[in-house]
Every structure is written in C-alpha cells, then in structure tokens.
Amino acid sequence: MADLEAPDLTALQDLRAHVQTVYGERDTEADKLLDLYRDRHLPIFPPGIKPHIVRLGLAADIVDRIAMLFGRVPQLSVPVDTIDPKERERSTKAEIGLDAILTQAEREAGGHQWDRFRKDLHVPGWGCLLLLPNRREWSEASGYPTDTEKPDLPARQTAYKRRARLPFTFRHVPARSVYPLYDSSGLCRLLIVEERTRYDVDHDPAFAEATETASSGKNQYEAVEVWTYLDRRWIVQATKDRLLGPALDHKLGCVPAIVASGLVSAEADADTRCGVSVLAGVAAQLKDLDGIATRMQSWMDLWAFASPIWKLGPGSRQRAV
C-alpha cells in the first residue's frame, strides 16, 4: 500500500484494515508469548477437576537475565571518513551532545524508555521508540524569545533553551501496538501505532458526545482507541470515526521512529520483518513445567495424605510412610 499524499479519515481506515490483515498472525503469536512472560497463561491440567493453578515465572526470569547482557542505552556514534583532528573533535562533541539530548529526552518521558524497548526486543521480538516533534516548546507562543528590539537576543534564547523542555518527545511504544510497513530496500516507510488514550470528554469538542455520563462528571475522562499514522512527511491521529486535529507536516524526511528487531530468523516475513522472541524455542517446555506443577498441587489438594518420607538405605532407596 502506497504512502498517503494527504491523510484523511477514509484512507486511514483502509490502511488500518490492511495492517491488521498483514499482522494478524503476528499479533496472535505475540499475545501468547506476552501472556507467558507476564504469567497470564493457563497451564495444562487434567479435565474434570478444579485445578490449583501454579505458574513458576520462569519466562520472565529468562528474559530478565538475557536483558542484563545488553547495555542500558545504545552507544551513539558519528563516523568520520578523515584523519583531520578537527573533524574528529567535532565528531566526538556531536556524540557527547547526542547522548546528553537523548538522556534528557528519556528523563522528560518519565525514564525507563530504553529498558522497555530492550525487553520488547526479547519478547515479543521487536521494539519501537517514537521521536515526535513538539515545536510548541520553542515557539513564540510558549515564551521563546524572538523580539529583536531588546538586546542580547542570542543570550536570552540560549538561557530559555537550557530551562525549557526539548522540542521533541521521545517515548517507548509497546511492541504489540506497532504496525510498520517497509519499502523495497528494507527501510520503514510508514508506521501505524495503536494506543488507548484518556481524553477529557467534557472539554474536548471532538468527544463532547462520547459518553452519556460526561455531563454528570462521573465519567469525565473516556478511554479512546487512537491510531497514529506516521510516514516520511505526515503525522496524524484518528479514532475509528474521526480525525484528531489536522495532519502535521514534520519535515524530517524520514519516519520519526526507531523500529528494530531482536533475533532474526531465516524464515522472517518480508512484509513485517519482525524478530523472533527468545522464548519462541522454549515456550512449550515452560508451559509443560507449569502444567506439571499445577497437576502436582491439584492432586495434593484432592488427596491430602500424609507426605511420604524418603530414606536412603545402604545400597538402595526405600520408601517409608
């Protein structure tokens, strides 16, 4: 499906249906692995009994141990194809500046963005970080100095930037909510992000009629499913039946997001390019272990006999009760 020239509601609805078809099988497998990681799966147990569910939590332990092998944040580099010491010095300063900017952006987003992104690379196997422009922070409307009549304009602008928030937002998006599409060279050409957001339906005209109890104040904030469309030019948000404001021309020339895969198998889908979870090869065994523990505990609940005592004899093991 081609990029949208001018995003409108009908085109976004068609694109949403398309990505749901492309990623349907991926989402089903991802839900199973995420349930296993979060201990929400249902172990196998004998029919006809009320089971005592036991989940050992081994999946989360495996993922956490593997995640510890990776650095907390990536190392950013600005390569230089010259031996000129001045160019190398500029490159070093640029790397330091980028690290500082991303550290500050992560702090403004509440922290732990890289940690969540790194875990997504292991379960379900891919991750996404959004870097969305927020030019209102450095605009005249937000207090950014632009008047040339007063002296020391550059100094006042520098002082404002030091205390103001960054002109972009940097945040992690759960991997299960991400739907990228790629071009023939393997680069992300557009991205759909599905999220549930709470809106003030009493004061937002777009959601004035979203709920019958809004006027009473009992349910002022309504959870709304929002789809964000991002490509190399546009950013636009929409619900299933309306656009949330006009499309933003971000003028970056690329999709403002980082979409990465974890483990990549030879059978990777060329359309989705999703990685493979580290739990994919051991999911069945982990479920079997939880099933064994569940059956043992269920049997102990049904037949509460005295626990056996095992004694070691001279040359054999003897069971005594």
Side-chain angles (χ1 to χ4, degrees):
M1 178 171 285
D3 298 2
L4 304 182
E5 291 295 333
D8 57 46
L9 182 60
T10 302
L12 289 175
Q13 290 173 338
D14 294 341
L15 183 60
R16 175 184 177 181
H18 173 71
V19 297
Q20 285 180 327
T21 301
V22 172
Y23 284 94
E25 184 177 350
R26 182 209 72 167
D27 289 349
T28 300
E29 295 300 321
D31 288 341
K32 294 179 182 178
L33 292 173
L34 289 171
D35 285 344
L36 180 62
Y37 172 71
R38 297 165 180 165
D39 277 343
R40 296 176 181 173
H41 63 289
L42 187 63
I44 301 174
F45 53 87
I49 66 171
K50 183 179 180 180
H52 185 130
I53 301 297
V54 177
R55 300 181 180 91
L56 302 177
L58 296 178
D61 186 58
I62 291 173
V63 173
D64 291 342
R65 289 177 181 272
I66 294 176
M68 291 174 60
L69 301 176
F70 296 83
R72 198 189 73 82
V73 297
Q75 297 296 320
L76 302 177
S77 63
V78 180
V80 180
D81 298 330
T82 179
I83 60 175
D84 186 354
K86 293 184 178 180
E87 290 296 328
R88 292 186 174 275
E89 182 180 359
R90 293 193 188 97
S91 173
T92 302
K93 290 182 179 179
E95 292 172 357
I96 296 173
L98 286 173
D99 285 330
I101 289 172
L102 285 181
T103 300
Q104 176 64 21
E106 184 182 25
R107 187 180 298 115
E108 291 180 0
H112 305 291
Q113 305 301 306
W114 287 114
D115 294 335
R116 296 167 184 164
F117 173 72
R118 185 181 59 201
K119 284 192 176 182
D120 279 351
L121 296 180
H122 304 311
V123 182
W126 62 93
C128 179
L129 291 165
L130 293 184
L131 296 95
L132 303 180
N134 187 15
R135 297 189 177 90
R136 292 176 56 190
E137 295 295 339
W138 287 7
S139 64
E140 187 175 0
S142 63
Y144 181 67
T146 57
D147 52 325
T148 58
E149 297 180 359
K150 296 182 180 181
D152 301 328
L153 178 61
R156 288 186 287 116
Q157 290 178 338
T158 301
Y160 178 88
K161 293 177 181 179
R162 286 177 177 174
R163 69 175 184 271
R165 296 173 64 91
L166 293 171
F168 66 91
T169 58
F170 170 81
R171 65 183 179 90
H172 162 265
V173 177
R176 178 61 176 77
S177 304
V178 175
Y179 301 90
L181 293 179
Y182 299 87
D183 58 20
S184 57
S185 60
L187 298 177
C188 181
R189 61 180 179 84
L190 64 88
L191 180 69
I192 293 287
V193 178
E194 176 189 11
E195 297 178 284
R196 293 192 66 82
T197 306
R198 293 172 63 83
Y199 279 91
D200 186 346
V201 296
D202 274 354
H203 300 91
D204 191 335
F207 294 94
E209 69 279 5
T211 173
E212 296 179 356
T213 60
S215 58
S216 65
K218 297 180 180 179
N219 190 18
Q220 179 179 353
Y221 291 92
E222 179 78 3
V224 181
E225 185 178 276
V226 176
W227 283 68
T228 304
Y229 169 88
L230 309 98
D231 64 14
R232 292 163 179 164
R233 180 180 177 183
W234 300 105
I235 300 175
V236 64
Q237 289 185 315
T239 64
K240 63 180 180 180
D241 57 359
R242 71 187 72 203
L243 292 176
L244 302 182
L248 170 66
D249 187 351
H250 55 73
K251 301 178 182 179
L252 297 177
C254 63
V255 178
I258 300 173
V259 183
S261 299
L263 299 175
V264 180
S265 66
E267 296 81 14
D269 193 329
D271 292 329
T272 63
R273 300 180 185 272
C274 294
V276 179
S277 171
V278 297
L279 298 179
V282 295
Q285 290 82 355
L286 294 176
K287 291 179 180 179
D288 288 342
L289 288 174
D290 288 346
I292 292 172
T294 296
R295 288 194 293 271
M296 292 180 64
Q297 186 60 53
S298 300
W299 288 334
M300 293 298 297
D301 292 346
L302 289 173
W303 300 287
F305 299 123
S307 300
I309 301 174
W310 294 88
K311 294 183 177 180
L312 292 176
S316 64
R317 174 174 289 181
Q318 178 181 356
R319 185 175 184 271
V321 179

